Amino acid sequence: MRHGLAFAALLLLPLASHAQTLHVAPGGTANGTCDASSPCTLQSAQARVRTLRAQGRNDITVQLQDGTYRLQQPLQFDASDSGSYGHSVRWQAAPGAHPVLSGSQLVQGTRNGVLWSFALPSNDAPSSIYIDGQRRWPSRTEACPHCVVDAKGLSKVPPAILHSLRVGSLAVMHERWRDFRCSVVALGRDRVDLAQPCWRNVTLDSVKNGWSVASPVGKYYAGVDWFENLAGDPSAPGGYTVDTAHHVLRYRPLPAEAAHAPSIELPVLEQLLVLNGTLKAPVHDLVFSGITFAGTEWRKPASADGYVPLQAGYLVDGNSRAALPDNGEGMTRIASAVAVEAGRDIVFDRDSFQHLAAAGIALAGGTHGAAVTNSRFTDIGGGGVFAGDTEGHPVDPASKTSDIVIADNHIDHVALAYRDNVAIMAGFVNGLVIAHNTISDLPYSGISVGWGWDYEGEAPVQSSIHIVANRIERVMLQLADGGAIYTQAQSTPGTSCVVRNVTDMRHSGEGNGIYLDEHSTYFDVERNVVLGAWISAWASWSGHLRITGNWTDDAGKPHNAGPTKVWSPNFTHLITLPAAALAVQQAAGARDHAIALGLPIHVNRMCPAP
C-alpha cells in the first residue's frame, strides 16, 4: 500500500481467455457488428453487452474510438448492464483516443449587424454556451447593493436595472456560505416580485444557531450581486440574451471572434450517464476509463423552486419547511452529469469532467464500493464530486453509502455558477478515502465531509473518514465561513482522521486551513501543513479531537480548547518548514502514475499511520 492509503489497491484482474471487445464510434451504426471494421453505436453496444452477460460471458470491454458522441438522451444503466462479481464490464477509450460523451448540440447562426443570432430548440434560456471551447455567460446587470428585501421580492430597484429585466430574469445573490437564484415573476414601478417558494425558502430562518445570518434578511446582506437572463440585445461583448417568445439567442462577439463563422455549442441534456440500481438489484462491476463527460445544461434554477442551498449544493425545495436547518435531511442535491445510485464496485478512472452546467459526478443512494481516481474536473458550474447521503440514521442501514475512494484527481475552477459548491462533498458515509487530490481555485471550501450540524444526537452517523495527503490552495475566493478542509458530524471513535494534507491559504479568501465545525467529533488531525491560516474547532459541542503534530506559520492558538480536545504539541510561528513538513508537502497532491483500483473496493476501518 503506497503512502499508507487506507484502501485496497489491487490490480484489475487480467482478461480471461474468452474476453470480448466491442468497438463503438461516433459514426457507428445500429446494425454494426461492433468489431473494429464495423463499429456500432453506444446503445447497440449496450444491448450486446446485456446479451453477452445473459449468456454468461465475462470480461467484456466496450472500446470507444476517438471523437464526440452527441447524446440525444442520457445513457441509462441498471443491474442488467453489470459485470459479474470479480469480472467487470469496461467502457474505455481506445488506445490513443479521447472520446467525449456530450450533451450539447452544435448550432450554426447568422449575422445580424454586429450580433450573432441562433435559433434555439426550445424557449429555455441556456445557463451558458460555448464558443471555441470557452464558456460564455448570459448578460448581467450591475450589482444592486441598495435593493431592499421584502416578503414578495425586492424593492428600490434602480430604473436602469429594472428596464433591462423581464419575467424570467434571475436575481443572483450570496450571503456568507450560501448562494441564491430566484426568478422574476412580476415587475413593478421600482420593484420585482420573485418566484415562490424560492424566495420564501431564501429568507427562511432557523430553529436555532442563527442561520438568518446567511440569508438576505441577515446582517451580512449586501444587496443583489446581479440579475441575468435579461431583455433586449446584449450590450457587452461576450454576453448573450434570449428572446424566449421567438426561441432566438443573440450573442455579441468579442473583437477576436467577430470575423469567425457564427456557431455555438448549446448544452441541452442535464445528465449524460445514470447508473441506477436498487438495494436488492444493484448495478455493479463496471469500469469507465479515459472518457470525457461534457456539455450539460441545468434548468432547475429557473423553476419556481429556484436555487436555494442549505450548504454545499444541497437544496431547500417546496413549502414543507417551517424553519431551517432541521437536521439537513430531505434536501435535494444539485444535478450531476454522472450519477450512481445503489452501485457496487463502480470505478471511474482517468476520466475528464468539463463544460458542465451543474455538478460532475455523484455516488450516493446506498452505493457500496465506488471510486473516482486519476481524473480531471474543471469548468464546472457546481461541485466536482459528491458522495454519500444526508440521512444520519436510515431505517435500512444498507441505504447509507459506504466504501468510497476519491483519489489522485485534479479539481479546479469548479463551482463557477453555484458558488456554495465545493470540489469534493461527502454527506454521511461509512468508509471514505479522499486522498492525494490536487484542488484549487474555488469560491468556497475545497473538501467538505459530514452533515447534520448538532441535530443528529450523540450516536455516530459516519465512520472511517480518511482525508489524506491532499494539496489545496486558492479557496474561499468569494464566500465565507469555510475552509480548505471542512468537517461535520460524529464519527465512530478511532476511525476518522485528517492527516498529511497541505492547505495553503496565503492566496485564498478568509477561511480556515482545517475547519472542524459544529458537531465534528472523533477526528485525529495530525501532521498537516497549514499555511496562511490555522485549524478551527470553535463549537463547544464538538469534541474528542486530537490536533497534534501540525506545522503552521500562524500563531496556532486553540480556537476552543474544550475538555476533550488535544491541541498540542503543534509547530507554530514557522518562517521556514522543517524537513518532516517539507516531506509531507512534497508527497501531497495527485500523483502522476497512481495505480487504478481493483475490485472489490473496500476502505480499511482504521486510519493510516500519521
Side-chain angles (χ1 to χ4, degrees), residues 542-601:
S542 66
H544 299 283
L545 302 173
R546 180 179 177 83
I547 304 166
T548 64
N550 302 285
W551 299 275
T552 183
D553 53 0
D554 189 85
K557 295 180 180 179
H559 198 167
N560 178 346
T564 63
K565 301 175 187 177
V566 177
W567 279 93
S568 64
N570 291 295
F571 307 97
T572 63
H573 293 102
L574 296 174
I575 298 174
T576 59
L577 294 175
L582 290 173
V584 167
Q585 192 175 51
Q586 179 67 28
R591 298 162 296 184
D592 291 335
H593 304 291
I595 298 173
L597 287 183
L599 304 179
I601 297 169

Side-chain angles (χ1 to χ4, degrees), residues 141-142 144 147 154-167 169 184 186-193 227 230-231:
T141 69
E142 298 294 328
C144 184
C147 282
L154 300 160
S155 63
K156 295 191 176 180
V157 182
I161 291 178
L162 194 64
H163 292 160
S164 68
L165 303 183
R166 61 175 178 85
V167 171
S169 295
V184 173
L187 293 88
R189 183 178 60 83
D190 71 341
R191 64 169 292 107
V192 295
D193 292 349
F227 292 88
L230 306 181

Side-chain angles (χ1 to χ4, degrees), residues 124-128 137-138 168-173 179-185 194-199 202 226 228-229 270 296-309 313 315-317 332-335 357-359 381-382 417-421:
D124 293 324
S127 60
S128 61
W137 299 100
S169 295
L170 288 177
V172 181
M173 64 194 77
D179 196 29
F180 305 103
R181 290 172 184 241
C182 289
S183 60
V184 173
V185 295
L194 298 176
Q196 302 289 2
C198 180
W199 190 240
V202 166
W226 67 80
E228 62 183 48
N229 291 354
E270 295 197 345
T296 58
E297 181 54 273
W298 192 44
R299 300 174 180 86
K300 177 180 170 59
S303 72
D305 276 320
Y307 182 81
V308 185
L315 310 178
V316 185
D317 293 336
T332 59
R333 185 181 63 242
I334 189 173
Y418 308 104
R419 296 168 288 181
D420 60 293
N421 281 236

Side-chain angles (χ1 to χ4, degrees), residues 177 211 310-312 420 422 424-427 432 434 444-454 462 465 467 472 475-476 480-489 498 501 503 511-520 523 536 538 541:
W177 66 88
W211 275 50
L310 192 65
Q311 186 169 331
D420 60 293
V422 302
I424 300 172
M425 170 63 202
L432 171 67
I434 302 175
Y444 185 45
S445 297
I447 293 171
S448 184
V449 300
W451 196 246
W453 301 273
D454 61 334
Q462 60 192 3
I465 309 300
I467 306 174
I472 306 171
V475 297
M476 302 302 300
D481 201 359
I485 296 173
Y486 176 97
T487 71
Q488 273 285 5
V498 182
N501 300 280
T503 66
N512 302 285
I514 301 172
Y515 190 2
L516 306 161
D517 198 14
E518 294 267 1
H519 206 207
S520 297
F523 278 92
S536 174
W538 66 274
W541 52 95

Side-chain angles (χ1 to χ4, degrees), residues 116 129-136 251 257 263-265:
W116 294 352
I129 60 174
Y130 287 86
I131 297 176
D132 295 330
Q134 300 298 310
R135 189 189 293 252
R136 299 288 181 258
Y251 173 73
E257 299 168 339
S263 67
I264 60 172
E265 286 279 350

Side-chain angles (χ1 to χ4, degrees), residues 15-306:
L15 295 178
S17 59
H18 59 281
Q20 181 159 350
T21 298
L22 307 178
H23 296 263
V24 300
T29 60
N31 57 0
T33 56
C34 297
D35 58 26
S37 62
S38 180
C40 58
T41 65
L42 290 165
Q43 294 77 10
S44 296
Q46 183 181 19
R48 288 286 302 276
V49 169
R50 289 179 172 181
T51 299
L52 291 169
R53 286 291 302 117
Q55 296 170 352
R57 299 289 295 274
N58 293 326
D59 300 314
I60 302 165
T61 297
V62 180
Q63 193 159 278
L64 281 65
Q65 295 182 12
D66 204 23
T68 299
Y69 297 75
R70 294 191 183 276
L71 303 179
Q72 302 303 308
Q73 58 187 11
L75 293 174
Q76 301 274 352
F77 283 57
D78 59 27
S80 63
D81 298 289
S82 301
S84 61
Y85 292 101
H87 299 272
S88 60
V89 174
R90 297 181 62 88
W91 292 72
Q92 66 183 34
H98 302 282
V100 178
L101 300 190
S102 175
S104 69
Q105 298 177 2
L106 182 62
V107 180
Q108 302 295 336
T110 60
R111 297 182 186 278
N112 184 7
V114 296
L115 302 179
W116 294 352
S117 294
F118 300 88
L120 299 179
S122 71
N123 62 354
D124 293 324
S127 60
S128 61
I129 60 174
Y130 287 86
I131 297 176
D132 295 330
Q134 300 298 310
R135 189 189 293 252
R136 299 288 181 258
W137 299 100
S139 294
R140 300 173 175 179
T141 69
E142 298 294 328
C144 184
H146 303 299
C147 282
V148 175
V149 171
D150 59 39
K152 297 181 68 176
L154 300 160
S155 63
K156 295 191 176 180
V157 182
I161 291 178
L162 194 64
H163 292 160
S164 68
L165 303 183
R166 61 175 178 85
V167 171
S169 295
L170 288 177
V172 181
M173 64 194 77
H174 74 279
E175 314 301 333
R176 303 292 286 165
W177 66 88
R178 303 173 74 195
D179 196 29
F180 305 103
R181 290 172 184 241
C182 289
S183 60
V184 173
V185 295
L187 293 88
R189 183 178 60 83
D190 71 341
R191 64 169 292 107
V192 295
D193 292 349
L194 298 176
Q196 302 289 2
C198 180
W199 190 240
R200 173 187 176 274
N201 289 332
V202 166
T203 58
L204 202 59
D205 203 353
S206 55
V207 175
K208 57 181 178 176
N209 292 348
W211 275 50
S212 62
V213 302
S215 80
V217 298
K219 65 180 181 179
Y220 292 102
Y221 174 67
V224 177
D225 292 342
W226 67 80
F227 292 88
E228 62 183 48
N229 291 354
L230 306 181
D233 291 337
S235 57
Y240 66 87
T241 59
V242 175
D243 180 346
T244 56
H246 298 94
H247 302 182
V248 173
L249 181 148
R250 296 186 177 90
Y251 173 73
R252 185 176 294 273
L254 295 168
E257 299 168 339
H260 293 185
S263 67
I264 60 172
E265 286 279 350
L266 178 70
V268 176
L269 294 187
E270 295 197 345
Q271 291 188 293
L272 302 173
L273 175 63
V274 178
L275 279 59
N276 197 359
T278 67
L279 295 181
K280 292 185 177 179
V283 55
H284 63 87
D285 290 271
L286 290 166
V287 177
F288 299 87
S289 180
I291 300 170
T292 292
F293 299 92
T296 58
E297 181 54 273
W298 192 44
R299 300 174 180 86
K300 177 180 170 59
S303 72
D305 276 320

